[in-house]
Amino acid sequence: MKKKNIIRFFSTLAITASLLAASALFVSADAENQDVVVTMPLTSEPTSGFDPAYGWGAGEHVHEPLIQSTLVRTTKDLEIENDLATEYSCSDDGLTWTVTIRDDVKFTDGEPLTASDVAFTYNTCRDASSVNDFTMLKEAVAIDDTTVEFHMNEPYSIWPYTMAIVGIVPEHAYDENYGQNPIGSGRYILKQWDRGQQVIFEANSDYYGETPKIQKLTVLFMEEDAALAAAMAGQVDVAHTAAMYSEQTIDGYSLLAVETVDNRGFNLPTTEPEEIDGITYGNALTSDVNVRRAINLAIDREEMIENVLNGYGTAAYSVCDKMPWYNEEAVTEYDLDAAKALMDEAGWVEGSDGIREKDGEKAELTLMFANGDSVRQALAEDTANQLRELGISVKTESVGWDTAYDRAQSDLLVWGWGAHTPMELYNLYHTNGDTGLAEYSPYANETVDQYMDVALQCSDLEESYELWKKAQWDGTTGITQEGDIPWIWLCNIDHLYFVRDGLQVADQKLHPHGHGWSIVNNIDEWEWE
């Protein structure tokens, strides 16, 4: 039985089992009353509640916080526009950001939202957040009711991207239980939360912006097979799904594919192996830049998209494809012959079994993927098959995240990244002070570091984009094919949803990593025909 048929067979069994229980779990949406029911993965439920200080609106699944308002927000074109803010500016030295906010905003308990609430929110995030980095913030200070200043420890040109995800909380009503019963000023109010099952939002009638068209949003947390079963039973309006289910036909529903920067790729340790504090850093084979370049050329991304993602994805060449700071020099064409020539140049000669050898050593690698992630597993296996054609033997291995981070310092791991901020680039490629290497895989390039450091020191956000591009490739060095190529990027995975006929889901901006809350970023603009 072929691989795709096996997947379909077991998927059908799972769907059938889920359908048997579906009718007892769900309540149908009411189009007449502008209600919508949406499914999300179990991992989308915020474990620490709906508190921005602990990741709501940010963290791994970056999205607009719905319940709270933000100072600014990103547009469909990923530009920055005002929300609570009416204007903002940065000092010439990059150390002070001044934001003026609206004077007509109230929290849902009737209290006015002032600059003191903004300062309190950011200082709380600085002190308490374990999800996001606020070390660049020295202090937020309310100058008056409508003016707040952010005093920075160091210049941080991309601060607007932080302001776009931090929801403002009320100083007068904030305590350790805030995340369970949040008060905000956003488009929606949290009405009910049944942990592990669902959360219900209702439109905020006192919202300062345009009145939301959807009056009630119910989010159900479930696995993909259960979400598909719920759609097949007609119990939900939008059901998240995966490529393996994309060929399913459901009466009354159509498949929506949303483009993303939710990429999958794997690291290539660039240093020779050495042990530091009990952890092995580096890999003898991938420490050779020609081997890394050969691997990149030997990956047929279009084949992966067609056979692993059923066509629902785009080729990835960097962690920031399609972003304003993306350098198109990252694009490479599949060229197995050129890849083989690079391996020959590096001294790796094909053996009798087809696996290359050098100085008595076989060209062998281990490529890990996260336990239970069928897409990453399929990508790992496809990569192994493709690199076998290059003469590299790749062993795939399922691992847990408790060991994956340390092991990725010497072995390859299929990762998922992608965010609406250049910090994603910084976090993967910039060296840190502990080891002198990048955090997630051994790599260091002083010039790349300098470009990113200067980019952060800019007082103008758009001016910084060119420096982020140069960090990727400046014509001489960088992280692309002709440079150090310390990561291989495979594909950006389309986020797929079954949508009930008659529901108009407003245009989506490019989704970041995390198949969850991004779909409802603009829920207030959805409408029933």
Side-chain angles (χ1 to χ4, degrees):
M1 187 178 288
K2 292 183 178 180
K3 185 168 89 171
K4 282 191 176 182
N5 290 334
I6 293 173
I7 292 174
R8 292 191 187 112
F9 173 74
F10 284 107
S11 297
T12 301
L13 289 181
I15 294 165
T16 302
S18 297
L19 274 168
L20 295 175
S23 61
L25 293 175
F26 312 116
V27 178
S28 297
D30 187 341
E32 184 176 344
N33 292 326
Q34 296 297 300
D35 296 352
V36 169
V37 178
V38 176
T39 73
M40 290 185 192
L42 292 172
T43 53
S44 293
E45 184 173 29
T47 56
S48 298
F50 298 87
D51 186 340
Y54 297 100
W56 169 244
E60 181 180 359
H61 307 287
V62 178
H63 58 88
E64 295 178 12
L66 288 182
I67 303 165
Q68 297 89 5
S69 303
T70 54
L71 293 174
V72 299
R73 57 193 172 196
T74 53
T75 66
K76 187 176 181 295
D77 297 324
L78 300 180
E79 296 179 351
I80 299 292
E81 68 176 10
N82 290 331
D83 186 0
L84 284 176
T86 58
E87 62 179 346
Y88 65 90
S89 61
C90 182
S91 61
D92 290 341
D93 62 7
L95 294 176
T96 303
W97 288 82
T98 303
V99 181
T100 303
I101 65 170
R102 302 171 62 122
D103 61 3
D104 60 346
V105 179
K106 292 184 178 181
F107 290 106
T108 52
D109 63 358
E111 293 294 318
L113 187 157
T114 70
S116 291
D117 298 296
V118 177
F120 172 80
T121 297
Y122 277 82
N123 289 331
T124 299
C125 288
R126 175 202 61 195
D127 297 338
S129 179
S130 59
V131 177
N132 291 289
D133 181 14
F134 284 90
T135 56
M136 75 295 293
L137 177 63
K138 181 178 181 180
E139 185 181 19
V141 178
I143 304 303
D144 54 40
D145 282 351
T146 59
T147 308
V148 62
E149 286 185 352
F150 297 104
H151 301 289
M152 316 301 282
N153 288 312
E154 55 194 15
Y156 195 70
S157 64
I158 57 176
W159 184 246
Y161 288 103
T162 299
M163 295 194 294
I165 59 174
V166 177
I168 305 305
V169 303
E171 183 176 9
H172 67 274
Y174 185 87
D175 58 25
E176 66 275 7
N177 297 314
Y178 174 83
Q180 320 310 312
N181 299 286
I183 293 172
S185 59
R187 293 162 286 169
Y188 289 86
I189 300 169
L190 177 65
K191 298 299 291 187
Q192 181 178 330
W193 181 19
D194 302 313
R195 280 186 176 271
Q197 298 180 40
Q198 66 175 1
V199 59
I200 300 173
F201 302 90
E202 290 184 0
N204 178 5
S205 60
D206 293 324
Y207 179 57
Y208 53 88
E210 293 187 16
T211 302
K213 296 176 181 178
I214 297 300
Q215 292 297 299
K216 180 180 178 182
L217 166 65
T218 300
V219 175
L220 304 174
F221 302 111
M222 58 184 60
E223 299 289 1
E224 288 164 352
D225 54 352
L228 181 58
M232 294 175 72
Q235 302 287 357
V236 298
D237 302 302
V238 178
H240 73 284
T241 192
M244 71 172 64
Y245 298 133
S246 61
E247 295 180 1
Q248 293 281 340
T249 299
I250 306 177
D251 289 341
Y253 291 79
S254 59
L255 186 67
L256 170 68
V258 180
E259 280 200 24
T260 77
V261 65
D262 188 357
N263 47 49
R264 299 293 180 272
F266 56 87
N267 57 301
L268 292 177
T270 64
T271 60
E272 289 284 351
E274 66 173 326
E275 188 171 308
I276 303 175
D277 297 330
I279 299 173
T280 300
Y281 289 77
N283 181 290
L285 179 58
T286 61
S287 64
D288 189 322
V289 68
N290 277 341
V291 171
R292 301 196 299 275
R293 291 171 178 168
I295 290 174
N296 195 38
L297 291 175
I299 298 297
D300 187 342
R301 292 163 174 83
E302 296 303 330
E303 183 276 334
M304 284 187 169
I305 292 168
E306 181 63 29
N307 293 316
V308 176
L309 303 181
N310 284 347
Y312 291 104
T314 55
Y317 302 99
S318 83
V319 74
C320 52
D321 292 358
K322 311 167 192 173
M323 298 289 103
W325 48 90
Y326 168 56
N327 190 331
E328 294 184 357
E329 292 295 328
V331 175
T332 53
E333 298 295 331
Y334 168 65
D335 191 337
L336 184 58
D337 289 338
K340 288 180 177 180
L342 283 170
M343 292 296 290
D344 291 339
E345 183 180 337
W348 290 92
V349 181
E350 189 172 309
S352 58
D353 59 356
I355 303 304
R356 292 176 179 268
E357 301 177 5
K358 181 179 180 180
D359 299 330
E361 297 292 330
K362 291 275 193 180
E364 297 175 332
L365 294 169
T366 296
L367 178 56
M368 304 175 289
F369 58 89
N371 292 336
D373 192 318
S374 59
V375 172
R376 296 190 197 200
Q377 179 178 4
L379 289 172
E381 292 174 350
D382 201 339
T383 297
N385 290 336
Q386 292 197 31
L387 293 187
R388 180 67 175 75
E389 296 298 311
L390 181 60
I392 297 177
S393 175
V394 178
K395 171 190 172 185
T396 62
E397 181 182 348
S398 174
V399 297
W401 287 108
D402 57 333
T403 61
Y405 288 95
D406 287 346
R407 288 193 56 189
Q409 298 297 335
S410 56
D411 288 324
L412 284 53
L413 174 67
V414 179
W415 299 83
W417 300 99
H420 296 159
T421 168
M423 278 306 290
E424 198 85 332
L425 195 72
Y426 185 97
N427 291 335
L428 292 184
Y429 296 100
H430 197 283
T431 60
N432 63 60
D434 294 334
T435 62
L437 300 169
E439 182 174 1
Y440 296 101
S441 181
Y443 172 65
N445 183 317
E446 185 177 345
T447 301
V448 171
D449 280 359
Q450 288 175 348
Y451 279 127
M452 291 192 281
D453 289 339
V454 176
L456 288 178
Q457 292 167 8
C458 284
S459 59
D460 182 85
L461 177 62
E462 293 190 5
E463 180 185 324
S464 74
Y465 292 163
E466 292 304 313
L467 291 162
W468 293 109
K469 290 179 181 180
K470 286 186 176 181
Q472 296 162 69
W473 179 248
D474 67 358
T476 302
T477 189
I479 58 178
T480 56
Q481 174 67 20
E482 297 305 315
D484 301 325
I485 196 72
W487 285 75
I488 303 295
W489 300 103
L490 304 174
C491 53
N492 297 296
I493 298 174
D494 286 355
H495 287 173
L496 303 178
Y497 306 87
F498 287 106
V499 179
R500 191 190 295 275
D501 293 345
L503 178 61
Q504 298 299 309
V505 175
D507 288 344
Q508 298 283 308
K509 59 186 172 186
L510 204 66
H511 282 195
H513 179 50
H515 196 170
W517 291 95
S518 292
I519 186 66
V520 297
N521 273 347
N522 59 357
I523 181 69
D524 53 308
E525 299 175 12
W526 298 11
E527 59 184 326
W528 291 96
E529 288 184 332

